[in-house]
Amino acid sequence: MTQNQPPGAPRARIPGPQQPPPSYPQIRTGLWRRCLGGGLALWTLTAIVTYTTGNTTLLPTLILLGSFLTPVVFTLWAYERHGRDLGVQVILGCFLAGGTLGVLGASVTENHLLHPSLSRCVGVGLVEEAAKLTALAFVLRRHPRLRGLRAGLVLGASVGLGFAAMESAGYAFNTALSLKGLDLRALLETEILRGPLTPFGHGLWTAIAGAALLTYRHPHGRFQYAGPVAGTYVGVSLLHALWDSTHGIALWLVARLTTTGLDRTLFGLGYLQGPTDEQKHLFTLFSVGGLIIVALAGVGWVRSLTRRDFAWRNTP
């Protein structure tokens, strides 16, 4: 015989069904800002301590912080703003594996296929962009659900930023190793100059190419190298070539405007012998202006893509 519980008596609660945990870890909003502030503080502190003490054991820390800070911050920003549903593992895989495979592929092919010539910049652009696209396709080969312009922009940028981080670290190490006695000032200048330019170089170019690659990807996951994909690849390769050739173009323009005859050995040297103050100012103006023009062209290309994509404006 059962008795009814008096009014107000506590009742046993049967736990309801719970939502399964997400399949990937979540990153809190605003992490990219904290990463930027903390990374800048650590890099500045490391640079000061290295410069004042001359302790070369700090060089790997200095180089890696300077090379990876900007790419990591922009990858986090892209994830928070437009790629939360893509998954941390995929974006991290694109950044690390994609960047490493891209650098390895570009190094091998450039070493065997290219020779110093006037068309070297175009060849380097074609090779490196192909290596990064191949790395992106390799990382995403087991993720057939990842399609569309937004996924291509975010994941392509992750591959490009990983490539840029690896490449910048390599340039910094070369600067440190190739000098007779370490010139820390040259090393710091290399990192300061390359860091802010990173998002407007490899990250931007591979984002555009990745957007085309994943826009035309088949629903079952097979990549389709259609006409628009090939055209986009050629376009970003030319932007890459223009970016790399701004130094030579600026040198040619200065020589053209300030001298009566052009010496062909000038371009082999890569610099003006005994330049005047006017030539120095003109070279800085043309080289920096050229980089700005190429960067604006890439940014305008991305904006033209995102304006037509509804998913980019309404990301999770």
Side-chain angles (χ1 to χ4, degrees):
M1 181 176 180
T2 59
Q3 296 181 353
N4 294 330
Q5 293 183 348
R11 297 181 179 180
R13 294 183 177 180
I14 300 176
Q18 297 180 352
Q19 294 294 331
S23 59
Y24 51 85
Q26 295 289 327
I27 295 179
R28 292 185 298 174
T29 303
L31 178 61
W32 70 270
R33 294 189 182 90
R34 294 188 291 273
C35 181
L36 176 61
L40 281 175
L42 287 174
W43 183 85
T44 303
L45 180 62
T46 305
I48 293 173
V49 173
T50 306
Y51 193 82
T52 55
T53 63
N55 187 0
T56 56
T57 59
L58 294 174
L59 288 179
T61 304
L62 182 65
I63 291 173
L64 293 177
L65 278 175
S67 302
F68 278 81
L69 177 59
T70 303
V72 168
V73 167
F74 270 84
T75 301
L76 287 174
W77 174 84
Y79 166 79
E80 291 183 17
R81 290 290 301 273
H82 304 291
R84 285 189 173 273
D85 61 326
L86 302 177
V88 176
Q89 292 94 333
V90 176
I91 292 181
L92 184 61
C94 287
F95 185 89
L96 294 178
T100 304
L101 292 174
V103 170
L104 290 175
S107 299
V108 170
T109 52
E110 287 174 10
N111 187 44
H112 287 82
L113 299 179
L114 298 179
H115 303 281
S117 64
L118 295 176
S119 60
R120 181 176 177 82
C121 289
V122 176
V124 169
L126 291 170
V127 167
E128 291 191 354
E129 295 307 319
K132 288 183 290 181
L133 270 183
T134 303
L136 176 62
F138 175 79
V139 175
L140 299 183
R141 69 193 188 282
R142 296 183 179 178
H143 300 277
R145 69 177 182 86
L146 296 177
R147 302 171 55 247
L149 184 140
R150 177 172 62 87
L153 284 173
V154 174
L155 298 176
S158 300
V159 170
L161 291 168
F163 185 99
M166 304 290 185
E167 186 181 60
S168 296
Y171 280 124
F173 274 112
N174 285 337
T175 303
L177 296 175
S178 63
L179 299 172
K180 296 180 180 180
L182 177 65
D183 188 350
L184 184 59
R185 180 175 298 179
L187 176 60
L188 295 177
E189 288 177 354
T190 299
E191 293 201 325
I192 292 173
L193 289 175
R194 291 185 63 88
L197 296 175
T198 300
F200 305 102
H202 288 291
L204 195 62
W205 304 324
T206 317
I208 297 171
L213 183 65
L214 294 191
T215 296
Y216 292 93
R217 188 181 191 184
H218 287 288
H220 54 76
R222 187 171 64 87
F223 292 101
Q224 178 181 347
Y225 300 96
V229 178
T232 302
Y233 159 70
V234 173
V236 297
S237 298
L238 291 178
L239 282 181
H240 189 157
L242 284 174
W243 182 279
D244 289 345
S245 61
T246 51
H247 180 93
I249 294 174
L251 190 66
W252 181 84
L253 288 174
V254 171
R256 185 78 176 179
L257 293 174
T258 59
T259 59
T260 56
L262 291 178
D263 186 2
R264 293 185 178 274
T265 61
L266 173 71
F267 303 98
L269 294 173
Y271 61 89
L272 291 168
Q273 292 182 334
T276 63
D277 291 338
E278 179 188 5
Q279 289 176 328
K280 291 179 181 179
H281 293 314
L282 285 175
F283 178 78
T284 301
L285 175 64
F286 291 143
S287 58
V288 175
L291 292 177
I292 292 175
I293 291 173
V294 176
L296 290 177
V299 172
W301 193 345
V302 169
R303 288 181 62 85
S304 69
L305 294 175
T306 57
R307 285 173 181 172
R308 300 193 302 265
D309 187 72
F310 179 80
W312 181 263
R313 300 191 300 270
N314 297 271
T315 51

